[in-house]
Amino acid sequence: MTLLIVLLVSGLYRQLVMEQESQVEQHLATEMQRYKQLALTVDRRSFAAQIRAADPKTALIAWRNNVDMVGALSFVPDNMPLLPETRDFPILTGGPDKLHILTGGLVLTNYGPVLIATRTDNLAALIDKFVNAAFWMVALTLAMTLAVGFIFSKAILRRLVQYNLLSQKIEQGQYDTRFPVSHNQDEFDMLAGQFNRVLDTLEHNLMSVRGVTDNIAHDLRTPLSHLRIGIEQLPQKPAEQVPELTAMLLEELDHCLATFDAMLSLTRIEEGQQTLDMQPVSLQQLCQDLYEMAEVVAESKQQTLNLVIEKDVTISGDKYLLFQALFNLVDNAIKYAPEDAEISIVQQGRRIQIIDNGPGISAEDKERVFERLVRLDPSRHHQGTGLGLSMVKAILSRHRASIELLDNDPGLIVDIHF
């Protein structure tokens, strides 16, 4: 800011000096033409009279007559140039300002050389005042800039110190801490809002981890307890009951291992660590294979499974994983729908719907069922890992497909769009 002001003042100073020089040169050129013309039109006596009558405020004239000097000046300095060239020279007066600075030059006329000069010390004094005022203006601007900058930097540092203290709280584990956001909507507010969203996500993920831990403890406690009791009872059982008990224990153990295997597979799919076997997949053919596989399972529960296909679409995807995801959805519909229920697989272009008239899912649980190890209370009497729908969503996300749970009144509509 100071540099810009100095450059501006320097430019104004240069313009002022140039304007002064231009005015002096123009004024002297006018007077030069006047006296040249006057010498051509009047005699010597009239020429001298005109010089005596010249207004000193307009121009100071000196002309040497045959006898003495005529004009406002009483002498002609040595080495004065011919106009339009000029030279500054001082004169002494009897007034309060004894020393005056004049700028002038000689003009050759029919009656000899004439000195034409004009005062320039007033303009020099004006320039000095301008320089003095500009100096104080720059100094005042610099002082104000430093003061405002100091206040502004203190305000910024105050907010940074506040953010630093809040960051220390977050580092200590207080994840419910949030950065304050004012109504100014400045850059700090934008940064605070972004950090708050990151903290919301972090807190949500931590709550999810805690929920997963609780669900693991809840779902695996029972089979692990059965394993412990069964192992303790093995030595006390008759020999003919040992194979049956061993098979039951192995089944419980397989369920535990299946849970952990499903969690590892889900992580690999979500993180993109599992390579997809991408190939052209016909959605119509996929639904037909799904229908053929699930029809037997539905008949075993006296349920009706329908297939509606329209306008085939071919996508690029992993056929095995897509079939696994869709079969999981159909299997859930068969598992939780009552006997004599009707289940439909509908394919329309890039949309696949699995529709049932079973108990459905409440609105508050429709997003929660996609979280890991979340099992709604009515489904806990069915054996499972609680990872099926999480796996479905992860597979569909890798294939850039969306999934939405809608009400069928009664029942549920699983809407998938590729």
Side-chain angles (χ1 to χ4, degrees):
M1 179 69 71
T2 305
L3 179 61
L4 289 175
I5 292 177
V6 169
L7 291 175
L8 177 61
V9 171
S10 300
L12 291 175
Y13 173 78
R14 180 174 177 81
Q15 187 69 24
L16 183 61
V17 171
M18 292 175 62
E19 183 65 22
Q20 171 196 336
E21 294 176 351
S22 175
Q23 288 183 6
V24 170
E25 291 175 359
Q26 184 177 0
H27 178 64
L28 292 176
T30 302
E31 293 297 317
M32 178 184 69
Q33 294 297 329
R34 175 188 171 192
Y35 282 98
K36 273 188 176 183
Q37 187 66 29
L38 182 64
L40 294 174
T41 56
V42 300
D43 56 15
R44 181 180 290 271
R45 185 186 298 273
S46 298
F47 185 73
Q50 289 289 338
I51 290 177
R52 290 189 185 96
D55 186 1
K57 295 181 180 180
T58 302
L60 298 171
I61 311 299
W63 174 58
R64 183 176 294 278
N65 200 351
N66 294 332
V67 180
D68 56 0
M69 295 293 298
V70 178
L73 297 176
S74 59
F75 74 102
V76 176
D78 298 333
N79 302 322
M80 288 300 293
L82 295 176
L83 292 174
E85 298 294 330
T86 62
R87 185 168 72 86
D88 296 340
F89 61 93
I91 63 170
L92 294 174
T93 66
D97 298 330
K98 294 185 178 182
L99 182 64
H100 290 174
I101 303 297
L102 304 182
T103 300
L106 296 176
V107 55
L108 297 178
T109 68
N110 289 342
Y111 301 120
V114 178
L115 174 64
I116 302 176
T118 185
R119 285 189 61 179
T120 54
D121 50 355
N122 291 332
L123 293 175
L126 177 63
I127 292 177
D128 290 339
K129 291 180 180 179
F130 172 80
V131 172
N132 188 48
F135 170 78
W136 287 109
M137 181 182 67
V138 171
L140 179 62
T141 303
L142 179 60
M144 291 179 61
T145 303
L146 291 175
V148 173
F150 176 77
I151 296 173
F152 184 70
S153 64
K154 290 292 290 184
I156 292 177
L157 289 176
R158 190 181 303 114
R159 296 183 73 176
L160 289 177
V161 169
Q162 183 183 19
Y163 288 177
N164 187 43
L165 294 175
L166 294 175
S167 300
Q168 292 177 359
K169 290 184 178 181
I170 297 171
E171 186 179 6
Q172 294 170 0
Q174 301 181 25
Y175 299 113
D176 57 342
T177 303
R178 295 295 182 271
F179 291 98
V181 179
S182 67
H183 299 291
N184 298 329
Q185 294 299 315
D186 56 12
E187 287 79 2
F188 281 96
D189 293 324
M190 295 171 60
L191 183 63
Q194 181 63 35
F195 271 110
N196 288 341
R197 287 189 291 271
V198 171
L199 290 171
D200 290 339
T201 303
L202 176 62
E203 188 174 20
H204 174 74
N205 291 340
L206 289 175
M207 293 300 295
S208 298
V209 170
R210 292 170 184 169
V212 167
T213 305
D214 293 341
N215 288 329
I216 288 176
H218 185 278
D219 287 350
L220 297 185
R221 180 180 180 85
T222 299
L224 291 177
S225 299
H226 291 169
L227 282 172
R228 177 181 176 84
I229 295 172
I231 292 173
E232 289 177 349
Q233 292 177 350
L234 270 178
Q236 305 172 7
K237 292 291 182 178
E240 61 274 9
Q241 296 182 2
V242 170
E244 181 181 356
L245 182 58
T246 302
M248 292 175 58
L249 295 177
L250 288 175
E251 184 179 356
E252 294 283 357
L253 184 59
D254 288 340
H255 172 67
C256 296
L257 293 175
T259 300
F260 288 110
D261 287 341
M263 291 180 65
L264 292 174
S265 298
L266 176 58
T267 301
R268 286 195 295 268
I269 293 174
E270 288 179 338
E271 299 297 329
Q273 299 173 358
Q274 180 170 335
T275 304
L276 301 183
D277 181 17
M278 305 300 287
Q279 56 182 299
V281 178
S282 167
L283 294 185
Q284 192 174 98
Q285 185 62 46
L286 185 65
C287 291
Q288 288 177 344
D289 295 341
L290 188 66
Y291 173 77
E292 293 173 1
M293 180 68 71
E295 186 180 20
V296 178
V297 182
E299 289 179 353
S300 64
K301 287 193 64 175
Q302 289 81 44
Q303 296 171 340
T304 302
L305 183 64
N306 302 317
L307 175 64
V308 180
I309 52 178
E310 300 177 8
K311 191 181 178 182
D312 188 20
V313 171
T314 300
I315 65 170
S316 178
D318 189 315
K319 185 175 181 179
Y320 170 75
L321 287 179
L322 288 175
F323 183 85
Q324 177 185 347
L326 295 178
F327 184 81
N328 192 305
L329 295 172
V330 176
D331 185 60
N332 278 349
I334 295 173
K335 183 186 300 182
Y336 299 116
E339 293 184 357
D340 300 326
E342 185 174 348
I343 301 168
S344 299
I345 303 172
V346 180
Q347 180 265 326
Q348 296 176 324
R350 295 183 177 273
R351 185 180 302 277
I352 296 178
Q353 291 183 330
I354 299 171
I355 306 171
D356 66 69
N357 55 359
I361 298 177
S362 62
E364 59 270 16
D365 291 330
K366 285 180 180 177
E367 286 298 326
R368 199 166 65 90
V369 293
F370 291 109
E371 298 176 5
R372 293 190 180 196
L373 297 174
V374 170
R375 301 184 67 194
L376 305 182
D377 290 338
S379 66
R380 289 200 173 273
H381 63 278
H382 294 281
Q383 187 174 6
T385 62
L387 295 169
L389 290 180
S390 300
M391 183 75 73
V392 168
K393 189 169 185 178
I395 293 173
L396 293 177
S397 296
R398 286 292 302 275
H399 288 81
R400 294 183 298 177
S402 62
I403 180 170
E404 186 178 5
L405 303 183
L406 308 173
D407 288 327
N408 193 32
D409 295 326
L412 185 70
I413 301 175
V414 180
D415 185 77
I416 302 169
H417 186 261
F418 289 91

